[in-house]
Amino acid sequence: MNDLKKSQVVIIPEPVEMKVDKGFFEITKKTSLYADNGLKDVSEYLQKLFRPALGWSISSTAKTNDEKSIKLSLDDGAHEISEEGYILKSTENGILINAKTPTGVFYGIQTLRQLLPKEIESQKAVSNMKWSVPCITVKDYPRFKWRGFMLDEARHFMGIKVVKKLLDLMALHKLNKFHWHLVDDQGWRIKIDKYPKLTDIGSKRELKPKRGEVQNTEEANVYGGFYTKEEIKEAIAYAKERFIEVIPEIEMPGHSSSALAAYPELSCSGGPFKVPTRWGIFADVYCPGNEGVYEFLKDVIDEVIELFPSKIIHIGGDEVPKIRWRSCPKCREKMKKEDIRKVKDLQVLLTNYFAKYLESKGRRLMGWNQILDENLSKNAISQYWFGKVKETIAQIESGRDTVMTRYLWTYLDHPYKIISLKRAYKYEPIPKKLEEKYHFHVLGLEAPLWTERIPNEQRLYWQAFPRLTAFAETGWTPKKTKNYKLFKKKLESFLKRLDILGINCASLEEAD
Ligand code: ACM
Ligand code: ZN
């Protein structure tokens, strides 16, 4: 094999530093795997990751001085890199991945994976392969600590198998926050024991037969689905093995039609309501003048935080029409009692109530930037997607932690015509006018996938990839190191890797 030039080494996201040397290390049946104390899980992950394609398992060793080994090590000269960083060094005699934390070692493994031939992604044993890794030194760590992907399962329900596949893909891209949009108007997708109707009624909507189609069973006329608590736990455990935090979103006080269809007494008018079958924004939302709403949402949150270990709980808060609140006697009464002048401040009241409630449970509230207000709890995290950048900058300057998700740049459901691959790649999360001393409050970026027009798995991958690959590079790679031309070149081979993983990507022609 010929020695590689730096430009031939394809690692996405592009590492911070990389030095390519002459020669290769080959993984063979004689190669052993040594892991320091505390790295048992990542070591097993590595074995599981490579086993299908190799057709055998790299065997563990307890000896630190094996010739021709892969060595995973904690904090042995890796002091100068951050918590998620790693140093990977491969020579003709072996591979060393060194980091301060298991997370760093895990990311080193993702890099090692990409240094191997793309066939390593195969789920079937590949014969006659030389499993060569170029001799290289990589020193690497992320630019942002929030590198997120959001999946909306309310509009279309994908199920646990797809979620696990997405978590695997996130790991490959060194993404670390899975924002799970489990509740919206068109579906409630998480079992809540205390309120069974949320899923009995709220997880189902009418399915209109397509023209010419005859559907005469009841099931054929219903679209639905939800996660049991067991499935949620399974997804969280799977994510944890991949160093991904799962952040659940329970929308309040808007986008709540599915809950109101189940419990109409939580609205201002009392209903009745159906789970909507069309997309959009709906006027009926939770009534913030009704004490029962706070009790209900607290109960739901209690069950959610029992399931999700995530420190952060997302409460939505976007697109809340105030029209019902204006004419609701209970809302009016609440305003009087709380000395609130403007109807819109009822949302601030409700958001602050849950910010405090979550804080009392050791958690932290996050919401879309429409929750912002000068009186919003200081601790709440904002997710910027739409509207006044000025307000977001002012809030960041006043100490607000913020995740950036500008909708005409990062929404994966937009057509490639609107957000081309190049535009996605060029997205810069830090607002231009934000002074450098506040940059640390920009936690990072996230790419949401809303699924109104994404009915199935194949379409989902096509919308997400390769744009999510571009966002992953922005989340990780230093701004000055990013290079679109090089990225596109790298994609030519990276997309083949995704293809072996069974991912129906948009082609480079379609994406740009
Ligand atoms: C949103 O796109 N409504 C947050
Ligand atoms: Zn009301």
Side-chain angles (χ1 to χ4, degrees):
M1 237 170 144
N2 293 325
D3 292 328
L4 292 185
K5 290 204 282 280
K6 192 170 167 180
S7 62
Q8 291 170 301
V9 175
V10 173
I11 303 170
I12 296 182
E14 184 70 17
V16 175
E17 280 176 40
M18 168 164 102
K19 188 175 160 288
V20 182
D21 298 311
K22 281 192 177 35
F24 292 87
F25 174 77
E26 195 187 334
I27 296 180
T28 68
K29 284 188 178 163
K30 287 191 192 133
T31 307
S32 60
L33 176 65
Y34 169 84
D36 268 354
N37 275 340
L39 293 175
K40 186 167 164 282
D41 291 348
V42 280
S43 163
E44 282 171 13
Y45 170 87
L46 183 152
Q47 287 170 316
K48 271 195 282 183
L49 183 67
F50 295 161
R51 185 186 298 136
L54 296 178
W56 38 270
S57 193
I58 302 175
S59 56
S60 302
T61 175
K63 288 185 289 182
T64 57
N65 56 352
D66 263 8
E67 280 271 302
K68 308 279 182 189
S69 73
I70 300 172
K71 194 174 164 209
L72 309 179
S73 134
L74 272 183
D75 204 12
D76 180 7
H79 314 285
E80 76 264 44
I81 50 175
S82 68
E83 295 299 304
E84 294 183 285
Y86 66 92
I87 297 169
L88 181 151
K89 188 167 174 58
S90 58
T91 67
E92 285 172 0
N93 291 316
I95 297 170
L96 171 66
I97 297 173
N98 197 3
K100 250 192 194 167
T101 63
T103 319
V105 174
F106 181 81
Y107 291 138
I109 292 170
Q110 297 307 325
T111 293
L112 171 59
R113 168 185 190 179
Q114 295 192 33
L115 290 169
L116 281 159
K118 62 180 184 304
E119 287 78 5
I120 196 67
E121 308 298 345
S122 168
Q123 287 311 295
K124 278 194 252 142
V126 183
S127 50
N128 300 321
M129 271 307 293
K130 249 182 167 347
W131 299 109
S132 304
V133 177
C135 294
I136 196 169
T137 306
V138 178
K139 188 168 156 188
D140 205 11
Y141 48 86
R143 178 180 175 202
F144 291 109
K145 56 184 170 198
W146 191 290
R147 305 179 300 279
F149 166 67
M150 189 211 83
L151 180 65
D152 163 19
E153 291 215 76
R155 277 56 177 264
H156 282 103
F157 181 71
M158 299 294 163
I160 185 88
K161 224 175 117 202
V162 176
V163 164
K164 282 182 168 178
K165 200 151 170 180
L166 287 165
L167 291 167
D168 277 328
L169 289 161
M170 286 181 69
L172 170 68
H173 288 83
K174 302 186 175 94
L175 293 166
N176 67 348
K177 305 283 178 194
F178 177 56
H179 171 177
W180 209 355
H181 189 81
L182 286 163
V183 168
D184 213 303
D185 294 300
Q186 297 83 3
W188 185 285
R189 306 275 177 238
I190 172 173
K191 178 86 170 114
I192 301 293
D193 296 330
K194 190 155 184 191
Y195 299 100
K197 286 194 274 182
L198 284 173
T199 41
D200 288 349
I201 293 173
S203 75
K204 298 172 191 163
R205 61 177 186 254
E206 272 176 37
L207 190 64
K208 300 232 163 56
K210 291 197 187 89
R211 217 184 306 174
E213 245 177 33
V214 183
Q215 291 173 339
N216 41 21
T217 65
E218 195 181 324
E219 268 147 45
N221 292 313
V222 174
Y223 182 90
F226 66 89
Y227 289 106
T228 63
K229 290 195 166 170
E230 264 44 57
E231 286 174 316
I232 298 257
K233 284 182 201 157
E234 193 181 328
I236 293 168
Y238 199 81
K240 186 163 179 258
E241 268 175 40
R242 285 149 187 79
F243 296 85
I244 295 167
E245 186 174 23
V246 184
I247 293 116
E249 180 178 350
I250 306 294
E251 280 265 21
M252 65 181 80
H255 286 291
S256 46
S257 306
S258 57
L260 299 184
Y263 298 99
E265 62 274 23
L266 302 174
S267 71
C268 290
S269 74
F273 310 102
K274 276 177 145 182
V275 179
T277 55
R278 59 181 178 88
W279 318 125
I281 299 172
F282 297 85
D284 288 288
V285 301
Y286 293 116
C287 171
N290 177 352
E291 294 312 312
V293 164
Y294 298 85
E295 291 311 308
F296 166 82
L297 288 172
K298 275 197 297 191
D299 290 340
V300 169
I301 284 180
D302 286 347
E303 291 195 30
V304 166
I305 60 185
E306 201 179 311
L307 273 176
F308 290 86
S310 158
K311 174 116 174 97
I312 294 164
I313 305 293
H314 205 300
I315 57 92
D318 57 321
E319 301 176 318
V320 184
K322 314 293 189 297
I323 180 161
R324 297 286 186 262
W325 298 355
R326 271 191 210 116
S327 55
C328 168
K330 279 182 279 186
C331 286
R332 287 286 165 190
E333 191 56 38
K334 182 83 173 177
M335 286 175 68
K336 227 189 275 165
K337 193 170 140 210
E338 303 283 343
D339 197 20
I340 289 174
R341 306 270 149 81
K342 292 185 187 148
V343 175
K344 75 169 178 60
D345 289 338
L346 283 169
Q347 183 176 353
V348 183
L349 180 86
L350 179 131
T351 309
N352 279 341
Y353 182 92
F354 285 102
K356 210 162 154 191
Y357 186 68
L358 283 167
E359 230 169 291
S360 77
K361 305 272 171 178
R363 308 298 177 101
R364 196 170 168 197
L365 179 141
M366 178 165 181
W368 300 102
N369 64 299
Q370 281 147 315
I371 63 169
L372 289 179
D373 185 272
E374 57 190 26
N375 294 319
L376 177 68
S377 161
K378 289 290 164 233
N379 200 26
I381 300 172
S382 163
Q383 180 164 16
Y384 177 75
W385 71 283
F386 176 76
K388 297 170 265 183
V389 185
K390 249 194 188 157
E391 181 188 35
T392 277
I393 290 176
Q395 286 273 346
I396 294 172
E397 286 172 353
S398 75
R400 174 86 54 211
D401 283 342
T402 301
V403 172
M404 300 302 287
T405 307
R406 203 171 169 183
Y407 97 117
L408 275 177
W409 291 79
T410 65
Y411 276 30
L412 296 165
D413 45 307
H414 278 314
Y416 283 95
K417 268 205 316 272
I418 294 177
I419 303 178
S420 65
L421 177 64
K422 184 171 183 178
R423 184 175 170 89
Y425 191 80
K426 299 265 159 161
Y427 180 60
E428 168 51 36
I430 297 195
K432 265 204 195 89
K433 293 201 171 133
L434 185 69
E435 269 185 74
E436 195 166 340
K437 65 179 177 194
Y438 301 116
H439 285 190
F440 73 99
H441 280 304
V442 177
L443 303 182
L445 83 165
E446 188 174 294
L449 186 53
W450 302 96
T451 55
E452 284 94 335
R453 283 165 204 88
I454 301 174
N456 57 46
E457 185 183 1
Q458 291 313 309
R459 179 68 195 210
L460 187 163
Y461 298 137
W462 190 85
Q463 289 289 141
F465 297 101
R467 285 184 293 198
L468 190 56
T469 311
F471 293 122
E473 186 145 304
T474 301
W476 184 279
T477 305
K479 193 177 169 190
K480 64 174 180 6
T481 309
K482 277 178 66 186
N483 176 326
Y484 184 62
K485 229 174 112 184
L486 175 67
F487 175 71
K488 237 181 126 176
K489 183 94 194 104
K490 288 193 298 182
L491 274 186
E492 286 171 19
S493 87
F494 191 81
L495 291 191
K496 290 182 191 144
R497 198 171 278 274
L498 292 181
D499 188 50
I500 296 175
L501 285 166
I503 302 307
N504 170 46
C505 287
S507 68
L508 289 178
E509 294 72 43
E510 289 169 318
D512 239 345

